[in-house]
Amino acid sequence: MHRLLLLGCLWLLAALPVSGIFQRPTGTPAPLRLQYLLEPLHPTVHTQRGATATLPCVLRALPHNYRVKWSKVEPANYRENIIIITNGLYHKNYGPLSPRVRLRHSHRYDASLTITDVALEDEGRYRCQLVNGLEDESISLTLHLEGVVFPYQPSNGRYKFNYHEAKRACEQQDSRLATYQQLYKAWTEGLDWCNAGWILDGTVHYPIINSREPCGGRLLLPGVRTYGARDKQKDRFDAFCFTSALQGQVYFIRGHLNFKEAGQACRNHGAALAKVGQLYSAWKFSQLDRCDGGWLADGSVRYPITTPRQRCGGLPDPGVRSFGFPSKEMRTYGTYCFVG
């Protein structure tokens, strides 16, 4: 009996078409095997602003009449911008990155891209493509900047920026609009903010750790909540800005200064009023910790706390605290200065 069952099963298997057993699910392309390019061991390269970073792209063989093309995918418009093209002997640079990029070319198979003086806008996804007739292939790498995300609104209150104004406001504070990945990482590290803000790709979000009534209600789970893509001209929200390490120093001058006097005090030391992004960077990367409110370049008054204590706002978590935008005539605060 068992033998008959076994023979019956074998007959059914033999009757099935081979493609019915082993066929890849419809719509799932077979992974392309790299013939010339080596798969990078680490597809993400970590760096900071001002550093030199190298994105690896190495060939295992040199095909005839080949070219290597480096490009960057821009999240704000989803375009792929060419950076450099080489045929192994000669190369040509393109676009705004042109003055700061070169090929490492440590050996004849090396087509790695080196970026000097890394800027905030350099973060993102890069593609190294081997152009070789019908056998084109490519690898993707991500340049990741260590940094900090902070919410930003102007002196006249919340929800005043359209997308373009939010982008400009972040740039004026020595930062740029954050990407979704940067905002998500900031949320995992404790960013909890009830006001929605623009990010770089033109969508609007707000990160919530503690669900509460004014922020969508207690029943909604914590997370990065989204309003989706909005009208970049008409819709108005706050901004989520991102900044990285400083090439300079932020320091505090004690005193009872109004806004104008604060600016002059910094200039007397060969410095300038610090921007909001610079204060966040000093707090994040230099562990700047002061219990004194000080003027910043945008007219706000803030202070950075790395070691929370009762007499410095009483909040349990580190952060940059804000007194908002007091009258610029008030002589109550010191000033935070930046020298490059």
Side-chain angles (χ1 to χ4, degrees), residues 49-51 117-118 174 244-249 281 338-340:
R49 178 167 54 174
D117 193 19
V118 169
D174 193 50
S244 185
L246 282 175
Q247 293 179 289
Q249 180 187 7
S281 180
F338 172 75
V339 60

Side-chain angles (χ1 to χ4, degrees), residues 47-51 72 74-75 97 100 115-124 126 143-150 167 170-179 182 200 241-247 277-278 281 285:
T47 188
Q48 293 181 353
R49 178 167 54 174
K72 182 175 186 287
E74 298 296 344
L97 265 174
R100 296 188 289 112
I115 305 173
T116 60
D117 193 19
V118 169
L120 294 176
E121 59 269 22
D122 296 343
E123 172 155 306
Y126 291 76
L143 186 66
H144 173 76
L145 268 69
E146 302 294 340
V148 58
V149 171
F150 61 93
K167 185 173 183 289
C170 288
E171 290 166 356
Q172 290 170 350
Q173 297 310 315
D174 193 50
S175 58
R176 72 182 303 222
L177 278 174
T179 64
Q182 290 165 344
L200 187 60
C241 306
F242 171 83
T243 191
S244 185
L246 282 175
Q247 293 179 289
Q278 291 167 341
S281 180
F285 291 99

Side-chain angles (χ1 to χ4, degrees), residues 32-315:
L32 295 176
R33 181 178 176 273
L34 293 176
Q35 182 179 354
Y36 294 104
L37 295 177
L38 289 173
E39 191 74 38
L41 286 176
H42 304 289
T44 299
V45 175
H46 296 265
T47 188
Q48 293 181 353
R49 178 167 54 174
T52 296
T54 297
L55 298 167
C57 183
V58 178
L59 285 70
R60 56 163 59 99
L62 300 178
H64 294 294
N65 301 319
Y66 77 95
R67 289 178 297 153
V68 170
K69 179 176 73 174
W70 275 99
S71 55
K72 182 175 186 287
V73 179
E74 298 296 344
N77 52 25
Y78 303 104
R79 293 172 57 186
E80 194 164 308
N81 296 328
I82 297 175
I83 300 170
I84 195 168
I85 297 178
T86 180
N87 64 1
L89 296 175
Y90 307 100
H91 69 272
K92 185 174 182 180
N93 293 15
Y94 298 85
L97 265 174
S98 181
R100 296 188 289 112
V101 295
R102 58 180 170 81
L103 295 169
R104 182 174 64 180
H105 208 63
S106 58
H107 52 80
R108 61 195 296 247
Y109 298 99
D110 185 15
S112 302
L113 182 74
T114 295
I115 305 173
T116 60
D117 193 19
V118 169
L120 294 176
E121 59 269 22
D122 296 343
E123 172 155 306
R125 188 160 63 89
Y126 291 76
R127 190 157 76 107
C128 176
Q129 181 182 14
L130 177 75
V131 181
N132 182 35
L134 298 176
E135 298 179 305
D136 294 359
E137 55 189 55
S138 66
I139 59 171
S140 291
L141 300 111
T142 299
L143 186 66
H144 173 76
L145 268 69
E146 302 294 340
V148 58
V149 171
F150 61 93
Y152 188 75
Q153 57 183 221
S155 59
N156 57 343
R158 68 193 288 244
Y159 294 177
K160 300 297 182 182
F161 295 135
N162 67 23
Y163 172 82
H164 306 287
E165 292 164 345
K167 185 173 183 289
R168 194 158 50 246
C170 288
E171 290 166 356
Q172 290 170 350
Q173 297 310 315
D174 193 50
S175 58
R176 72 182 303 222
L177 278 174
T179 64
Y180 181 80
Q181 290 77 12
Q182 290 165 344
L183 181 62
Y184 184 87
K185 183 173 184 291
W187 169 72
T188 66
E189 295 171 349
L191 181 60
D192 182 284
W193 196 253
C194 204
N195 294 344
W198 294 102
I199 63 172
L200 187 60
D201 64 2
T203 57
V204 174
H205 308 265
Y206 64 104
I208 293 296
I209 299 289
N210 303 305
S211 298
R212 50 202 187 273
E213 285 306 325
C215 306
R218 298 179 183 275
L219 298 181
L220 283 180
L221 293 174
V224 178
R225 297 174 184 166
T226 179
Y227 286 12
R230 311 299 289 189
D231 190 305
K232 291 183 178 180
Q233 293 287 354
K234 297 179 182 177
D235 290 327
R236 295 189 173 270
F237 298 95
D238 292 345
F240 286 106
C241 306
F242 171 83
T243 191
S244 185
L246 282 175
Q247 293 179 289
Q249 180 187 7
V250 173
Y251 61 93
F252 182 74
I253 295 179
R254 190 183 299 275
H256 297 281
L257 310 170
N258 63 30
F259 178 72
K260 185 177 180 180
E261 293 166 343
Q264 188 59 53
C266 291
R267 289 190 292 273
N268 290 343
H269 287 76
L273 276 169
K275 299 177 179 180
V276 177
Q278 291 167 341
L279 185 65
Y280 269 93
S281 180
W283 165 74
K284 174 76 173 181
F285 291 99
S286 303
Q287 286 72 56
L288 184 63
D289 183 290
R290 287 209 66 103
C291 207
D292 307 278
W295 292 102
L296 296 178
D298 67 340
S300 65
V301 172
R302 306 173 195 249
Y303 63 101
I305 295 295
T306 57
T307 306
R309 45 212 188 268
Q310 192 60 39
R311 291 191 302 169
C312 297
L315 295 175

